[in-house]
Amino acid sequence: MKPTDWNTRAQQRTARLARAAQALGPQLRGKVVAADAVTTLLQAVLEPGDRVCLEGNNQKQADFLAKALVQVDPAQVHGLHMVQSVLALPEHLDLFENGIASRLDFSFSGPQGARLARLASGGRIAIGAIHTYLELFARYFVDLTPQVALVAAHAADAQGNLYTGPNTEDTPAIVEATAFSGGIVVAQVNELVDGATTTLPRIDIPADWVGFVVQAPTPNFIEPLFTRDPAQISEIQVLMAMMAIKGIYAEYGVQRLNHGIGFDTAAIELLLPTYGEQLGLKGKICQHWALNPHPALIPAIEAGWVQSVHSFGSELGMEDYIRARSDVFFTGPDGSLRSNRAFCQAAGHYACDLFIGSTLQMDLEGNSSTATLGRIAGFGGAPNMGADARGRRHASPAWLKAGAQARTGQRGAAGTPRGQKLVVQMVETFREHMQPAFVDRLDAWTLQEQAGMALPPIMVYGEDVTHVLTEEGIANLLLCRSDEEREQAIRGVAGYTPVGLGRDKRMVENLRDRKIVQRPQDLGLDPREATRKLLAARSMRDLVRASGGLYQPPKRFRNW
Amino acid sequence: MKPTDWNTRAQQRTARLARAAQALGPQLRGKVVAADAVTTLLQAVLEPGDRVCLEGNNQKQADFLAKALVQVDPAQVHGLHMVQSVLALPEHLDLFENGIASRLDFSFSGPQGARLARLASGGRIAIGAIHTYLELFARYFVDLTPQVALVAAHAADAQGNLYTGPNTEDTPAIVEATAFSGGIVVAQVNELVDGATTTLPRIDIPADWVGFVVQAPTPNFIEPLFTRDPAQISEIQVLMAMMAIKGIYAEYGVQRLNHGIGFDTAAIELLLPTYGEQLGLKGKICQHWALNPHPALIPAIEAGWVQSVHSFGSELGMEDYIRARSDVFFTGPDGSLRSNRAFCQAAGHYACDLFIGSTLQMDLEGNSSTATLGRIAGFGGAPNMGADARGRRHASPAWLKAGAQARTGQRGAAGTPRGQKLVVQMVETFREHMQPAFVDRLDAWTLQEQAGMALPPIMVYGEDVTHVLTEEGIANLLLCRSDEEREQAIRGVAGYTPVGLGRDKRMVENLRDRKIVQRPQDLGLDPREATRKLLAARSMRDLVRASGGLYQPPKRFRNW
């Protein structure tokens, strides 16, 4: 065997770079590619069947490269295997419709979920699997290593060093896997600096790791995904947030946590400096966060509740506030945020005591899923953060108490003591259009049959859920001693949904005596107190004011 | 409240840098500190009570900085809270004996385990917790963020850019957490290049992230921890390796895996191209690895078994081999390995179907621990990789089969289907000095009492173990339907230990009929075939030969 046979990836890399140089000619200077030559570049470096990571994050999108990739000639470039976190842009699916890509491994599809389902059922996309983010990143280093990565950064210098800006997100994980496996990294940037008279605020990705840089004609798209207008928070959400704070956060002494996206958890954030303060909880709960820079957290930060926030990504408009609150956020010496989805997901998994999220459907075992008929929405970070971290070995009061309760319940006293993560599903019993959130059977089962999946697409397994919180009360699943008790505890907070109406009233009352089901009044809460007045900010304007004018919401949120 | 109150960390950073500049005077040029001024530097930048990460890896050690830190004046610098993966060097504990440090959060202590236990029981060290690596890294971003990190790299340039060399290990995680939270990073390097006439092979850590660089008088210490001389592999280990390959790897079709350290798993690696080849398994198992570059894997790589290896660290002597096999290993365009413990642990957790490790003690529930009386050895990566990754959502045949078996067993058919990771504990029934590996009660329980820990220091929980493999056979714990069956399955492979002798013979025979306990003959293995002749390399020299002379073992392994 010739020794060169062991270095085919490096040889391919050299060949691809040479093809690019030849195809681009004067449109390539050093590593910098002219914007109008990007499709030429992609056509030169890509080969049929390549695994390609087209950076799609929760927020930041390599949109210019996505548009360029859609333009390549399918006769030359086809059968691509796309491996990317998020399908956010129409182009992410156009690739499959026009025959350039055929296979997909991903995490979250959000707005493209319905179209994805159509393409998959029509046989245009072979879906490998839906992952949680950290799982997909892990596979980049094992069996889904990209040959080519198309990423987005804020700026580059002439050498190819990248400044990702506050929305670092997935970029470091993608680039490391690609650059160190003979792959090629192409970065679109908003700005090019010469590196001499103008320099990058800091270097996030060294030039060695980057093959090509192109300045996009327009800045990359960023979605302000985590901004929730307090004006839209309902009094039911206020009540639920009060229950969360008093019935769970205070009860377990939760100091390190992650909040999912949405108005339910925004309400919790906005009640900390008011209701939380009344309960004397400052310093006793919620000091450390794995969280994007939620605007709704501003009042709690200003009131001195928060010691640290490490972020998956950033949030538009929060730049100046973050810079001015560098004790709280992870920022560089230049003052801008350093986010990192891989590390923040690790933090959410291993260093947080509580994950609180929401779902579209929950069944009688507590399994929940956002996959509903006709939509393949994906999972995002929920499976990773909403799972008991069984490798965790450090103790905290919250984790130990949850673990002790689990031994009182189904795991049984015989089980070897270990702690457990608090995983809370917070849902109103009915969602939009009066669809019940509690169901006998998840749509996920039908989706599994339709799409020929190995398992139903369950986001968080009931085995891992510790509490279900609705406007009717809190069900503590840890304390349940049997599957039947568990089912009745869930029915016991499922309100007027068919699942809730199907409860065994006597058994639910028994569970209430044992504090497995708790109503607002059992927690000493008067639902009449749950008014919007309790919110530390009741509008976007209040948030801006609370930030001392540092928070600058995107235009669409400026309604005053 | 003054706005400046929100930027105390940044202000502290500035103040520390100014103190260093003043204390060092001409001994500081740019970021480069004179070697004999390092203790002065540390005394200037450190403050009492600081959280400090003194980089201690599995292999690479910031040994020069460790020696310098021991020299600071305890009157000035004391009460440090050390947060570091590995306690490998005597200096790591000297810090506590001489009053510089008082608190410790760590992962693994290996050779320092006995001394650590003495210091802890004498009240000289307050141990926060023993973590698995990724858990500790996660806390660096939440509640154990270092104020100062003392790291080791291979080389730096005058600007402070670092080339970590193949042993990247923990460095990126430590530096990112420190540099982006107002902390200060000090790097010891083996070489300084001027950046103009001589340049770094590549940049692993950008200069922006680094505060100070010092060239150590001697290269940093690296332990060849993963080198196992095939000459020391016994025929019992060959037999156990045959059982692992035929009874587990082939049975489940394991393609992606991690091997722990030791002769047991080295034997498996060395049997792939011989025994595995005979069974026709090439291409059907073991193509993707999360593994350091084990020399014992060379014959399997050469025989074309291995598609990829992503590594936590590197291994001394493997540099040229890795460079010449870049299709298999993750290397930079410069040809040297890029390891990364954080990503490789994520890969081990989320992208591997099997973890196989060893232990010192296992109890009747299958709990195992390397913590024995008088030693606090720590856990390393085992809890993370030896736990079911409950956040995982992508399927593979091995994972689905294990999950299906779990529903046949204790989890029960009612449980919602999900996959499960294969976690194999591979132990001889007696370890050194005829100590039984199977015990009624783990020493961990006594250690818990002695050290006042919240939980016993269990490395891998029985709930997460799927198979126990000894020279007597394989116990499949997934298929057990009750705690009693589980106990008898373990007793059934525990040989002549008291635990093994205490078996219910009839029940064990019943388990054997159900293939829950399998003897070598049940697998069609004749123990007489288990000879050292089956090993693809029987000596270090054979490994060198198999590598075509590319592998250059450290001197102590050169016994020919």
Side-chain angles (χ1 to χ4, degrees):
Chain A
M1 206 178 280
K2 290 180 297 176
T4 49
D5 288 338
W6 295 100
N7 299 292
T8 55
R9 296 197 309 212
Q11 290 154 22
Q12 266 190 17
R13 182 173 192 276
T14 308
R16 289 168 192 247
L17 293 176
R19 287 203 306 264
Q22 198 181 0
L24 292 168
Q27 292 180 298
L28 176 67
R29 293 187 177 197
K31 292 183 176 179
V32 179
V33 179
D36 55 6
V38 167
T39 297
T40 307
L41 167 71
L42 297 182
Q43 206 146 301
V45 297
L46 286 166
E47 295 180 7
D50 273 351
R51 266 190 303 267
V52 176
C53 180
L54 172 53
E55 187 170 15
N57 290 292
N58 240 323
Q59 298 155 285
K60 178 179 69 170
Q61 303 299 335
D63 51 359
F64 178 60
L65 293 174
K67 285 188 176 71
L69 186 57
V70 170
Q71 301 301 320
V72 299
D73 177 4
Q76 250 187 276
V77 178
H78 50 82
L80 298 185
H81 178 176
M82 306 306 294
V83 291
Q84 66 187 80
S85 291
V86 180
L87 299 168
L89 306 175
E91 290 83 2
H92 292 156
L93 290 175
D94 293 347
L95 289 175
F96 293 89
E97 278 195 339
N98 67 13
I100 293 168
S102 59
R103 194 169 168 79
L104 173 67
D105 278 277
F106 78 112
S107 289
F108 183 69
S109 62
Q112 303 296 331
R115 189 172 162 214
L116 175 60
R118 282 198 305 278
L119 284 168
S121 68
R124 303 294 293 266
I125 296 189
I127 295 180
I130 312 173
H131 305 75
T132 189
Y133 296 126
L134 194 57
E135 175 188 17
L136 184 63
F137 301 160
R139 293 188 73 190
Y140 288 168
F141 294 93
V142 178
D143 60 344
L144 291 182
T145 311
Q147 268 95 24
V148 175
L150 309 176
V151 304
H154 184 78
D157 64 19
Q159 289 74 52
N161 292 297
L162 303 183
Y163 166 59
T164 55
N167 280 86
T168 318
E169 303 197 65
D170 303 3
T171 317
I174 299 168
V175 171
E176 179 159 343
T178 308
F180 292 97
S181 62
I184 290 176
V185 175
V186 181
Q188 76 169 70
V189 297
N190 303 338
E191 288 174 33
L192 265 175
V193 301
D194 63 17
T197 54
T198 52
T199 56
L200 298 175
R202 67 170 188 249
I203 294 174
D204 289 305
I205 308 280
D208 298 340
W209 308 19
V210 178
F212 299 95
V213 163
V214 57
Q215 183 173 14
T218 52
N220 62 60
F221 179 77
I222 298 189
E223 173 76 21
L225 202 61
F226 296 89
T227 299
R228 288 294 175 275
D229 185 344
Q232 294 186 45
I233 294 175
S234 69
E235 301 205 324
I236 285 187
Q237 284 165 332
V238 172
L239 175 65
M240 288 168 67
M242 292 169 80
M243 286 195 269
I245 291 172
K246 191 165 186 190
I248 301 176
Y249 291 20
E251 183 69 18
Y252 293 88
V254 174
Q255 287 285 24
R256 305 173 304 168
L257 70 163
N258 167 265
H259 272 186
I261 197 171
F263 289 101
D264 292 338
T265 45
I268 299 176
E269 292 153 22
L270 290 168
L271 285 192
L272 291 175
T274 54
Y275 180 64
E277 196 87 29
Q278 286 169 27
L279 297 179
L281 294 172
K282 186 171 161 184
K284 294 178 183 163
I285 62 169
C286 299
Q287 293 193 304
H288 298 282
W289 299 74
L291 195 81
N292 276 332
H294 288 189
L297 199 62
I298 291 171
I301 293 172
E302 293 302 304
W305 277 65
V306 177
Q307 279 193 27
S308 71
V309 177
H310 188 261
S311 300
F312 309 93
S314 188
E315 189 64 6
L316 275 182
M318 288 287 281
E319 297 78 6
D320 291 346
Y321 182 74
I322 290 167
R323 191 179 298 271
R325 298 291 178 269
S326 65
D327 282 358
V328 171
F329 296 98
F330 280 72
T331 57
D334 66 302
S336 72
L337 186 72
R338 167 74 176 188
S339 61
N340 188 321
R341 192 173 321 281
F343 279 129
C344 201
Q345 285 289 338
H349 186 72
Y350 269 130
C352 284
D353 292 323
L354 175 138
F355 166 76
I356 186 164
S358 199
T359 185
L360 295 181
Q361 292 190 331
M362 175 176 285
D363 71 14
L364 297 173
E365 293 179 40
N367 297 312
S368 56
S369 186
T370 50
T372 53
L373 290 182
R375 288 182 55 81
I376 303 179
F379 302 135
N384 175 61
M385 293 189 291
D388 188 31
R390 293 165 82 93
R392 174 173 163 179
R393 293 294 180 270
H394 76 281
S396 69
W399 183 78
L400 288 172
K401 182 167 183 172
Q405 289 189 343
R407 288 195 305 288
T408 308
Q410 255 178 310
R411 198 200 295 161
T416 306
R418 65 198 292 185
Q420 185 160 340
K421 183 176 209 174
L422 293 163
V423 175
V424 182
Q425 288 288 27
M426 185 174 185
V427 284
E428 286 186 56
T429 53
F430 286 92
R431 49 191 178 93
E432 289 177 325
H433 313 302
M434 287 302 281
Q435 288 288 310
F438 294 89
V439 295
D440 283 297
R441 187 174 185 271
L442 298 176
D443 286 358
W445 292 96
T446 311
L447 273 174
Q448 180 196 5
E449 288 156 25
Q450 285 176 353
M453 297 172 178
L455 295 175
I458 288 170
M459 184 174 63
V460 175
Y461 279 82
E463 292 177 88
D464 289 319
V465 175
T466 63
H467 295 77
V468 181
L469 196 170
T470 72
E471 74 277 10
E472 200 187 0
I474 300 174
N476 178 332
L477 304 187
L478 287 167
L479 293 169
C480 296
R481 293 200 190 115
S482 65
D483 289 345
E484 198 191 355
E485 282 193 1
R486 194 180 176 81
E487 178 183 326
Q488 290 300 330
I490 292 171
R491 289 190 190 274
V493 295
Y496 292 98
T497 63
V499 162
L501 295 172
R503 72 185 64 172
D504 175 332
K505 284 187 187 163
R506 202 162 139 185
M507 199 158 163
V508 170
E509 282 311 304
N510 175 275
L511 294 174
R512 213 176 140 188
D513 293 341
R514 286 162 54 203
K515 297 197 174 178
I516 291 174
V517 169
Q518 291 187 289
R519 306 280 173 232
Q521 56 268 40
D522 301 336
L523 293 166
L525 290 180
D526 182 347
R528 286 169 302 181
E529 291 168 26
T531 70
R532 284 184 36 83
K533 285 188 191 150
L534 273 179
L535 296 169
R538 294 192 280 280
S539 66
M540 292 302 287
R541 201 172 177 176
D542 285 353
L543 287 177
V544 173
R545 206 178 284 129
S547 77
L550 291 164
Y551 171 45
Q552 291 155 353
K555 269 194 191 130
R556 69 164 118 151
F557 292 103
R558 295 178 167 274
N559 44 14
W560 65 94
Chain B
M1 204 178 281
K2 289 180 298 176
T4 50
D5 288 340
W6 295 99
N7 298 292
T8 56
R9 296 197 310 210
Q11 290 154 20
Q12 265 190 19
R13 184 174 190 275
T14 307
R16 288 169 193 246
L17 293 175
R19 287 204 305 265
Q22 197 181 1
L24 291 168
Q27 291 181 300
L28 176 66
R29 293 187 176 197
K31 292 184 176 179
V32 180
V33 179
D36 55 7
V38 168
T39 296
T40 307
L41 167 71
L42 297 183
Q43 206 147 298
V45 296
L46 285 166
E47 296 180 6
D50 273 351
R51 266 191 303 269
V52 176
C53 179
L54 172 53
E55 188 171 13
N57 289 293
N58 239 322
Q59 298 155 283
K60 178 178 70 171
Q61 303 299 335
D63 51 357
F64 178 60
L65 293 174
K67 285 188 175 71
L69 185 57
V70 171
Q71 301 301 320
V72 300
D73 178 4
Q76 250 187 277
V77 178
H78 49 83
L80 298 185
H81 178 176
M82 306 305 294
V83 290
Q84 65 188 82
S85 291
V86 181
L87 300 167
L89 305 175
E91 289 82 3
H92 292 156
L93 290 175
D94 293 347
L95 289 175
F96 293 88
E97 276 195 339
N98 66 14
I100 294 168
S102 59
R103 194 169 169 78
L104 173 67
D105 278 278
F106 77 112
S107 290
F108 183 69
S109 63
Q112 304 295 333
R115 190 173 160 212
L116 174 60
R118 281 197 306 277
L119 285 167
S121 68
R124 303 295 292 269
I125 298 188
I127 296 180
I130 313 174
H131 305 74
T132 189
Y133 296 125
L134 193 57
E135 176 188 15
L136 185 62
F137 301 159
R139 292 189 73 190
Y140 289 167
F141 294 93
V142 179
D143 60 344
L144 292 182
T145 310
Q147 268 94 23
V148 175
L150 310 176
V151 304
H154 184 78
D157 64 20
Q159 289 74 50
N161 292 298
L162 303 183
Y163 166 59
T164 56
N167 279 86
T168 319
E169 302 195 63
D170 303 4
T171 316
I174 299 168
V175 171
E176 179 158 342
T178 308
F180 292 97
S181 61
I184 290 176
V185 175
V186 181
Q188 75 169 72
V189 298
N190 303 338
E191 289 173 34
L192 265 175
V193 301
D194 62 18
T197 55
T198 53
T199 56
L200 298 175
R202 68 170 187 249
I203 294 175
D204 288 307
I205 307 280
D208 298 340
W209 307 19
V210 178
F212 299 97
V213 163
V214 56
Q215 183 173 16
T218 51
N220 63 61
F221 179 77
I222 298 189
E223 173 76 20
L225 203 60
F226 296 89
T227 300
R228 289 294 176 273
D229 185 344
Q232 293 186 45
I233 293 174
S234 70
E235 300 205 324
I236 285 186
Q237 284 164 330
V238 171
L239 175 65
M240 288 167 68
M242 292 169 79
M243 286 194 270
I245 291 172
K246 192 167 186 187
I248 301 175
Y249 292 19
E251 183 70 17
Y252 293 87
V254 174
Q255 287 285 24
R256 304 174 304 168
L257 70 164
N258 167 266
H259 273 185
I261 197 171
F263 288 101
D264 292 340
T265 45
I268 298 175
E269 292 154 21
L270 290 167
L271 286 192
L272 291 176
T274 55
Y275 180 63
E277 195 86 31
Q278 284 169 31
L279 297 178
L281 295 172
K282 187 172 160 183
K284 295 179 182 161
I285 62 170
C286 297
Q287 294 194 303
H288 298 282
W289 299 74
L291 195 81
N292 276 330
H294 288 189
L297 199 62
I298 292 171
I301 293 172
E302 294 301 304
W305 276 65
V306 177
Q307 278 193 28
S308 72
V309 177
H310 188 261
S311 300
F312 309 93
S314 188
E315 188 64 7
L316 276 182
M318 288 286 281
E319 297 80 5
D320 290 346
Y321 182 73
I322 290 166
R323 190 179 298 270
R325 299 291 178 270
S326 64
D327 282 357
V328 170
F329 296 97
F330 280 72
T331 58
D334 66 303
S336 73
L337 187 72
R338 168 75 176 190
S339 61
N340 188 321
R341 193 175 319 283
F343 280 129
C344 201
Q345 286 288 339
H349 185 72
Y350 269 130
C352 284
D353 293 322
L354 176 139
F355 166 77
I356 185 165
S358 199
T359 185
L360 295 179
Q361 292 188 331
M362 176 177 284
D363 71 14
L364 297 173
E365 292 179 39
N367 298 312
S368 55
S369 186
T370 50
T372 54
L373 291 181
R375 288 182 56 81
I376 303 179
F379 301 137
N384 174 61
M385 293 189 290
D388 188 30
R390 293 165 82 94
R392 175 173 164 180
R393 294 293 179 272
H394 76 281
S396 70
W399 183 78
L400 288 172
K401 182 167 183 171
Q405 289 190 343
R407 288 195 307 288
T408 308
Q410 257 179 309
R411 198 200 295 161
T416 306
R418 65 198 291 186
Q420 185 159 340
K421 184 177 209 175
L422 293 163
V423 175
V424 182
Q425 288 288 24
M426 186 175 184
V427 284
E428 287 186 54
T429 54
F430 287 93
R431 48 190 179 94
E432 289 178 325
H433 313 302
M434 287 303 280
Q435 290 285 312
F438 294 90
V439 296
D440 283 297
R441 186 174 185 270
L442 296 177
D443 286 358
W445 292 95
T446 312
L447 274 174
Q448 180 196 4
E449 290 156 24
Q450 286 176 353
M453 298 172 180
L455 295 175
I458 288 170
M459 183 173 65
V460 175
Y461 279 82
E463 292 176 88
D464 289 318
V465 174
T466 62
H467 295 78
V468 182
L469 196 171
T470 72
E471 74 278 10
E472 203 187 0
I474 299 174
N476 178 334
L477 304 186
L478 287 167
L479 294 169
C480 296
R481 294 200 189 114
S482 66
D483 289 345
E484 198 192 355
E485 281 193 3
R486 194 179 174 82
E487 176 182 327
Q488 290 300 329
I490 292 171
R491 289 190 191 274
V493 295
Y496 293 98
T497 63
V499 163
L501 295 172
R503 73 185 63 172
D504 176 332
K505 283 187 188 164
R506 206 165 134 181
M507 199 160 164
V508 171
E509 282 311 304
N510 174 275
L511 294 174
R512 214 177 139 190
D513 292 342
R514 287 162 53 203
K515 296 196 175 179
I516 291 174
V517 170
Q518 289 187 290
R519 306 284 173 228
Q521 56 268 39
D522 301 336
L523 294 165
L525 291 180
D526 181 347
R528 286 169 303 181
E529 290 168 24
T531 70
R532 284 185 34 84
K533 284 188 192 152
L534 274 180
L535 296 169
R538 294 191 280 278
S539 65
M540 292 302 287
R541 202 172 176 179
D542 285 354
L543 287 177
V544 173
R545 208 178 284 130
S547 77
L550 291 164
Y551 171 46
Q552 290 156 354
K555 271 198 189 125
R556 68 165 118 149
F557 292 103
R558 295 179 166 273
N559 46 13
W560 64 92

